Amino acid sequence: MEFDCNGHEAGYVSVGLGISITNEIIAREYAAFHLEAKPVEPSALYHYVAIWQNGRTFSNALNVSLEAIVAAFSKMKAATG
């Protein structure tokens, strides 16, 4: 899903309904949800991070999704880089 409003993705992630991509400023606001964040590249004016439930064990589908997101960003970085 794609959102144009901060907060929705944190709610979905915090109840275990996936992972999300957001920027580092918004990710800091989600600290109260006890979500884990990891930087991904490339960055725009700020760095994007993937967020998920702290300590969550990913299903195979979520692992594949996260790997695809990281690979897509890696390809974009290599193309612009």
Side-chain angles (χ1 to χ4, degrees):
M1 289 183 256
E2 184 176 332
F3 295 96
D4 191 27
C5 181
N6 298 338
H8 293 305
E9 71 271 29
Y12 284 111
V13 170
S14 67
V15 296
L17 295 177
I19 62 174
S20 180
I21 300 292
T22 192
N23 66 65
E24 63 184 340
I25 296 167
I26 300 302
R28 274 181 261 171
E29 293 180 10
Y30 296 159
F33 290 94
H34 305 290
L35 301 174
E36 191 168 329
K38 178 180 178 175
V40 294
E41 295 292 337
S43 66
L45 299 175
Y46 38 76
H47 293 277
Y48 288 92
V49 299
I51 60 174
W52 59 87
Q53 282 176 302
N54 190 19
R56 179 182 177 129
T57 301
F58 287 161
S59 66
N60 188 48
L62 284 178
N63 272 324
V64 169
S65 297
L66 183 58
E67 289 170 7
I69 290 167
V70 170
F73 277 100
S74 295
K75 287 178 186 175
M76 288 174 58
K77 182 177 181 181
T80 61

